[in-house]
Amino acid sequence: MRKNFGAKPLTYPQPVYIIATYGEDGTPDAMNAAWGGISEQNEISLCLSAGHKTVKNILKRGAFTVSMAEAGHITACDYVGLVSGNNTPDKFTKAGFHAVMSEFVDAPLIEELSVAVECRLKDYNPETCILRGEIVNVSVDERVLTPEGKVDPAKVSPVIFDPFNNIYLKVGEKVGNAFSDGRRLK
């Protein structure tokens, strides 16, 4: 037997993205968002309402970064989703984040978060709230790389959002090999 939850935005799990921008005065800003994902080979799409300070910054500067939330910084990552940059202009600093300017786009990288997608604005539709960015670079802090230069998910400790229970979960153990295990059924 199944339980019906109705037509709601519930997928399981959802990524926890921290979107960072610079304001008009160069002040870094960040927000937490879970509605988004890769939509093309070099494109990310996010659902962000126009009232967010982050959206205003993106529209003015034409750039943003998307970092993956990490378990070691969950308080800061949650905080930037609880307060608005419209009312708390120093929320980036209050979260304990430190900005490093991207080499590729006019937006900050968050020093504490090890994986970031650096994007140029492609377009924004205020009616649907869909913002699309062109991925121009993915940067990864060397502290989370293996000796072979691969990303070690245990070192990143990425976080996902469980919308059914309003909790964050740390990504865990390996359960299979992508593009490989299914070959046994061919």
PDB file of all heavy atoms in Angstrom, residues 8 18 21 33 42 47 56 65 71 80 94 107 142 151 157:
ATOM      1  N   LYS A   8       3.004  18.100  -4.659  1.00  0.00           N
ATOM      2  CA  LYS A   8       3.908  18.937  -3.870  1.00  0.00           C
ATOM      3  C   LYS A   8       5.316  18.823  -4.446  1.00  0.00           C
ATOM      4  O   LYS A   8       5.635  17.831  -5.097  1.00  0.00           O
ATOM      5  CB  LYS A   8       3.917  18.484  -2.402  1.00  0.00           C
ATOM      6  CG  LYS A   8       2.588  18.665  -1.717  1.00  0.00           C
ATOM      7  CD  LYS A   8       2.667  18.222  -0.271  1.00  0.00           C
ATOM      8  CE  LYS A   8       1.313  18.406   0.383  1.00  0.00           C
ATOM      9  NZ  LYS A   8       1.323  17.976   1.770  1.00  0.00           N
ATOM     10  N   ILE A  18      24.441  26.413  -1.990  1.00  0.00           N
ATOM     11  CA  ILE A  18      24.665  27.729  -1.412  1.00  0.00           C
ATOM     12  C   ILE A  18      25.101  28.616  -2.574  1.00  0.00           C
ATOM     13  O   ILE A  18      26.169  28.425  -3.159  1.00  0.00           O
ATOM     14  CB  ILE A  18      25.725  27.699  -0.291  1.00  0.00           C
ATOM     15  CG1 ILE A  18      25.375  26.639   0.760  1.00  0.00           C
ATOM     16  CG2 ILE A  18      25.873  29.093   0.326  1.00  0.00           C
ATOM     17  CD1 ILE A  18      24.018  26.800   1.442  1.00  0.00           C
ATOM     18  N   THR A  21      26.952  35.571  -4.375  1.00  0.00           N
ATOM     19  CA  THR A  21      27.033  36.698  -5.303  1.00  0.00           C
ATOM     20  C   THR A  21      27.734  37.867  -4.612  1.00  0.00           C
ATOM     21  O   THR A  21      27.938  37.847  -3.398  1.00  0.00           O
ATOM     22  CB  THR A  21      25.622  37.182  -5.714  1.00  0.00           C
ATOM     23  OG1 THR A  21      24.916  37.608  -4.534  1.00  0.00           O
ATOM     24  CG2 THR A  21      24.837  36.101  -6.422  1.00  0.00           C
ATOM     25  N   ALA A  33      19.508  27.124  -1.247  1.00  0.00           N
ATOM     26  CA  ALA A  33      18.425  26.738  -2.148  1.00  0.00           C
ATOM     27  C   ALA A  33      18.508  25.246  -2.445  1.00  0.00           C
ATOM     28  O   ALA A  33      19.595  24.701  -2.622  1.00  0.00           O
ATOM     29  CB  ALA A  33      18.498  27.529  -3.457  1.00  0.00           C
ATOM     30  N   ASN A  42      26.468  22.081 -19.798  1.00  0.00           N
ATOM     31  CA  ASN A  42      27.168  23.201 -19.165  1.00  0.00           C
ATOM     32  C   ASN A  42      26.175  24.227 -18.615  1.00  0.00           C
ATOM     33  O   ASN A  42      26.379  25.431 -18.714  1.00  0.00           O
ATOM     34  CB  ASN A  42      28.133  23.866 -20.151  1.00  0.00           C
ATOM     35  CG  ASN A  42      27.402  24.545 -21.294  1.00  0.00           C
ATOM     36  OD1 ASN A  42      26.263  24.216 -21.613  1.00  0.00           O
ATOM     37  ND2 ASN A  42      28.058  25.505 -21.919  1.00  0.00           N
ATOM     38  N   CYS A  47      15.425  27.416  -9.099  1.00  0.00           N
ATOM     39  CA  CYS A  47      14.137  28.072  -8.919  1.00  0.00           C
ATOM     40  C   CYS A  47      14.283  29.064  -7.765  1.00  0.00           C
ATOM     41  O   CYS A  47      14.340  28.661  -6.594  1.00  0.00           O
ATOM     42  CB  CYS A  47      13.054  27.037  -8.620  1.00  0.00           C
ATOM     43  SG  CYS A  47      11.408  27.764  -8.507  1.00  0.00           S
ATOM     44  N   LYS A  56      18.636  39.621  -7.214  1.00  0.00           N
ATOM     45  CA  LYS A  56      18.916  41.006  -7.618  1.00  0.00           C
ATOM     46  C   LYS A  56      20.392  41.172  -7.958  1.00  0.00           C
ATOM     47  O   LYS A  56      20.744  41.817  -8.959  1.00  0.00           O
ATOM     48  CB  LYS A  56      18.513  41.966  -6.500  1.00  0.00           C
ATOM     49  CG  LYS A  56      17.023  41.989  -6.228  1.00  0.00           C
ATOM     50  CD  LYS A  56      16.709  42.798  -4.974  1.00  0.00           C
ATOM     51  CE  LYS A  56      15.249  42.614  -4.585  1.00  0.00           C
ATOM     52  NZ  LYS A  56      14.933  43.214  -3.281  1.00  0.00           N
ATOM     53  N   THR A  65      28.069  31.872  -8.002  1.00  0.00           N
ATOM     54  CA  THR A  65      28.675  30.568  -7.769  1.00  0.00           C
ATOM     55  C   THR A  65      27.668  29.714  -7.006  1.00  0.00           C
ATOM     56  O   THR A  65      26.818  30.226  -6.279  1.00  0.00           O
ATOM     57  CB  THR A  65      29.997  30.648  -6.977  1.00  0.00           C
ATOM     58  OG1 THR A  65      29.743  31.198  -5.684  1.00  0.00           O
ATOM     59  CG2 THR A  65      31.029  31.477  -7.717  1.00  0.00           C
ATOM     60  N   ALA A  71      28.559  19.029   5.618  1.00  0.00           N
ATOM     61  CA  ALA A  71      28.151  18.714   6.983  1.00  0.00           C
ATOM     62  C   ALA A  71      28.895  19.544   8.022  1.00  0.00           C
ATOM     63  O   ALA A  71      28.301  19.984   9.004  1.00  0.00           O
ATOM     64  CB  ALA A  71      28.348  17.225   7.260  1.00  0.00           C
ATOM     65  N   VAL A  80      22.174  30.991   6.173  1.00  0.00           N
ATOM     66  CA  VAL A  80      22.022  31.868   4.998  1.00  0.00           C
ATOM     67  C   VAL A  80      20.706  31.614   4.258  1.00  0.00           C
ATOM     68  O   VAL A  80      20.334  32.390   3.384  1.00  0.00           O
ATOM     69  CB  VAL A  80      23.235  31.809   4.035  1.00  0.00           C
ATOM     70  CG1 VAL A  80      24.497  32.293   4.728  1.00  0.00           C
ATOM     71  CG2 VAL A  80      23.428  30.428   3.439  1.00  0.00           C
ATOM     72  N   LYS A  94      28.310  37.036   9.109  1.00  0.00           N
ATOM     73  CA  LYS A  94      27.709  36.452  10.308  1.00  0.00           C
ATOM     74  C   LYS A  94      27.694  34.928  10.243  1.00  0.00           C
ATOM     75  O   LYS A  94      27.782  34.260  11.264  1.00  0.00           O
ATOM     76  CB  LYS A  94      26.289  36.972  10.517  1.00  0.00           C
ATOM     77  CG  LYS A  94      26.231  38.353  11.101  1.00  0.00           C
ATOM     78  CD  LYS A  94      24.807  38.747  11.423  1.00  0.00           C
ATOM     79  CE  LYS A  94      24.767  40.076  12.126  1.00  0.00           C
ATOM     80  NZ  LYS A  94      23.409  40.481  12.481  1.00  0.00           N
ATOM     81  N   ALA A 107      31.850  36.803  -9.107  1.00  0.00           N
ATOM     82  CA  ALA A 107      31.127  36.273  -7.949  1.00  0.00           C
ATOM     83  C   ALA A 107      32.131  35.632  -6.996  1.00  0.00           C
ATOM     84  O   ALA A 107      33.215  35.215  -7.414  1.00  0.00           O
ATOM     85  CB  ALA A 107      30.092  35.236  -8.400  1.00  0.00           C
ATOM     86  N   GLU A 142      41.770  21.719  -2.958  1.00  0.00           N
ATOM     87  CA  GLU A 142      42.681  20.573  -2.953  1.00  0.00           C
ATOM     88  C   GLU A 142      42.582  19.740  -1.684  1.00  0.00           C
ATOM     89  O   GLU A 142      42.925  18.558  -1.694  1.00  0.00           O
ATOM     90  CB  GLU A 142      44.122  21.046  -3.156  1.00  0.00           C
ATOM     91  CG  GLU A 142      44.362  21.566  -4.560  1.00  0.00           C
ATOM     92  CD  GLU A 142      45.794  22.044  -4.769  1.00  0.00           C
ATOM     93  OE1 GLU A 142      46.606  22.039  -3.816  1.00  0.00           O
ATOM     94  OE2 GLU A 142      46.104  22.437  -5.909  1.00  0.00           O
ATOM     95  N   VAL A 151      37.953  13.812  -6.527  1.00  0.00           N
ATOM     96  CA  VAL A 151      37.222  14.318  -5.373  1.00  0.00           C
ATOM     97  C   VAL A 151      36.885  13.148  -4.453  1.00  0.00           C
ATOM     98  O   VAL A 151      36.356  12.128  -4.895  1.00  0.00           O
ATOM     99  CB  VAL A 151      35.933  15.053  -5.813  1.00  0.00           C
ATOM    100  CG1 VAL A 151      35.102  15.465  -4.605  1.00  0.00           C
ATOM    101  CG2 VAL A 151      36.279  16.272  -6.665  1.00  0.00           C
ATOM    102  N   SER A 157      32.008  15.653   2.361  1.00  0.00           N
ATOM    103  CA  SER A 157      30.877  15.445   3.263  1.00  0.00           C
ATOM    104  C   SER A 157      29.661  16.277   2.828  1.00  0.00           C
ATOM    105  O   SER A 157      29.123  17.072   3.590  1.00  0.00           O
ATOM    106  CB  SER A 157      31.290  15.781   4.703  1.00  0.00           C
ATOM    107  OG  SER A 157      30.357  15.277   5.612  1.00  0.00           O
TER     108      SER A 157
END
